[in-house]
Amino acid sequence: MKKYAVLSMDVEDWYHLDYFNKDECNQNQSTMDGLDIYLDILDQYDIKTTFFIVGELVEKLKDKIEIIKRKGHEICLHSYAHKRPLQLSLEDFKKDTILGVESFKNFTNTDVKGYRAPCFSLDRDRLDILRELGFEFDSSKIKFDAHDLYGRINISDFQDTDTNIYKKANFYEFEASTVEFLNKNLPVSGGGYLRIFPWFLTKGLLKRFFKTNKHYFFYIHPFEFSENYNIKVPENTNFKTKIRFNMGRKSVENKMHKLIKLLKQNNYEFVTFNQIIKNET
Ligand SMILES: [Zn+2]
């Protein structure tokens, strides 16, 4: 069986992070240099991947989006304004999503067919809205009980086509990778964990994950690669949040190379989500 790895990026700026109040952030400061750093890393290994981009950044990033498309990557939606879908009414969620879709159409002539919710904050009602709007896939599912912001999506009527790919009619749900350890599901798929865990721990968890023979769905953000280390966060930001934001940013690039090499050694094939859908049908 083929094992796929999707090394996706959720393209948002530092002030979109849920633990900052966007209105209190000085939005003239940007960590979007991290997007270029990641694109360079992907180029070095000739890896194509999926970029989930926040709709309100599309106008500003339109030239960059052209470059990303030309390199053969896939462009998808990461909500319009990075509000957590579960905090929006169904109607507002629909409006936010349509606004996002239209931004891509108007500024970059791109049809987005995939969605990832901010903070994995999605449920079945909202997932059905995505299906209704013509999306072909979503990747907002994660089995991780310790994170209180993450949503739960009931997809019990979906066909489990593989261990972490689910399907209903022509719609796919891709689940971010976690590994069971001491009766808990630990994520092995997020940039935050790559930054914060020492490499030996990540490597140990990944080796455990590889034994499951599942596909590997990873996500990271521009701020994690950004070399703008002097972002002035709002004054009332607590110590824990500052640590969470800054920890491991200087070492993440090096760890990313290690991660890619480890996946290669374990025969993973690097693809976009769209390529998986094409290969599966
Ligand atoms: Zn996000």
Side-chain angles (χ1 to χ4, degrees), residues 49-53 58 64-66 68-69 73-77 104 108 110-114 137:
T49 198
T50 302
F51 287 83
F52 295 92
I53 303 176
V58 171
K64 187 69 66 188
I65 291 171
E66 280 311 316
I68 297 173
K69 281 165 71 177
H73 301 296
E74 178 183 24
I75 304 288
C76 293
L77 179 64
F104 282 97
T108 69
T110 310
D111 279 324
V112 286
K113 293 291 176 198
F137 75 88

Side-chain angles (χ1 to χ4, degrees), residues 31-255:
T31 53
M32 218 38 89
D33 61 309
L35 172 58
D36 291 320
I37 293 173
Y38 194 46
L39 283 166
D40 280 349
I41 295 174
L42 296 174
D43 277 353
Q44 284 174 45
Y45 299 90
D46 195 23
I47 291 172
K48 312 291 175 218
T49 198
T50 302
F51 287 83
F52 295 92
I53 303 176
V54 168
E56 68 176 8
L57 292 177
V58 171
E59 186 177 6
K60 201 160 88 182
L61 291 177
K62 58 178 194 253
D63 295 337
K64 187 69 66 188
I65 291 171
E66 280 311 316
I67 294 171
I68 297 173
K69 281 165 71 177
R70 230 178 294 137
K71 285 178 185 285
H73 301 296
E74 178 183 24
I75 304 288
C76 293
L77 179 64
H78 188 43
S79 81
Y80 179 75
H82 210 266
K83 288 183 186 138
R84 293 211 299 273
L86 293 177
Q87 288 189 325
L88 300 175
S89 67
L90 294 180
E91 202 183 316
D92 286 346
F93 170 70
K94 192 170 176 175
K95 278 188 201 156
D96 181 273
T97 308
I98 292 172
L99 206 55
V101 170
E102 284 175 351
S103 312
F104 282 97
K105 209 168 232 133
N106 296 341
F107 295 114
T108 69
N109 199 21
T110 310
D111 279 324
V112 286
K113 293 291 176 198
Y115 185 89
R116 177 175 288 141
C119 263
F120 295 99
S121 168
L122 208 72
D123 61 3
R124 181 54 188 264
D125 287 342
R126 286 160 183 82
L127 187 76
D128 286 341
I129 290 175
L130 295 176
R131 294 170 60 209
E132 200 188 293
L133 292 175
F135 280 85
E136 289 169 1
F137 75 88
D138 171 67
S139 179
S140 309
K141 185 172 167 56
I142 188 163
K143 266 188 214 135
F144 183 43
D145 311 320
H147 202 306
D148 51 0
L149 295 181
Y150 295 173
R152 304 276 176 275
I153 311 172
N154 179 0
I155 49 165
S156 51
D157 58 331
F158 275 50
Q159 183 195 341
D160 193 346
T161 60
D162 222 310
T163 44
N164 47 349
I165 301 176
Y166 305 84
K167 189 183 178 195
K168 186 174 172 69
N170 290 322
F171 187 89
Y172 286 80
E173 177 67 36
F174 297 102
E175 182 182 73
S177 304
T178 55
V179 66
E180 216 183 296
F181 186 61
L182 302 174
N183 286 326
K184 281 195 166 58
N185 278 310
L186 293 179
V188 281
S189 48
Y193 305 97
L194 188 67
R195 272 190 297 129
I196 290 163
F197 290 175
W199 174 249
F200 76 87
L201 181 59
T202 301
K203 193 176 169 184
L205 290 172
L206 282 168
K207 282 192 169 163
R208 203 180 167 87
F209 175 80
F210 294 155
K211 287 191 189 136
T212 65
N213 267 322
K214 290 183 184 179
H215 306 300
Y216 182 67
F217 301 145
F218 170 87
Y219 60 96
I220 198 157
H221 309 87
F223 86 90
E224 310 196 79
F225 289 112
S226 171
E227 288 172 351
N228 187 356
Y229 300 118
N230 299 315
I231 295 285
K232 284 208 169 39
V233 299
E235 266 173 35
N236 57 8
T237 304
N238 67 39
F239 184 69
K240 194 179 148 202
T241 299
K242 283 183 191 160
I243 293 282
R244 193 170 156 198
F245 175 56
N246 285 311
M247 194 170 167
R249 277 171 54 198
K250 288 184 180 165
S251 66
V252 77
E253 197 176 330
N254 186 23
K255 285 176 178 170

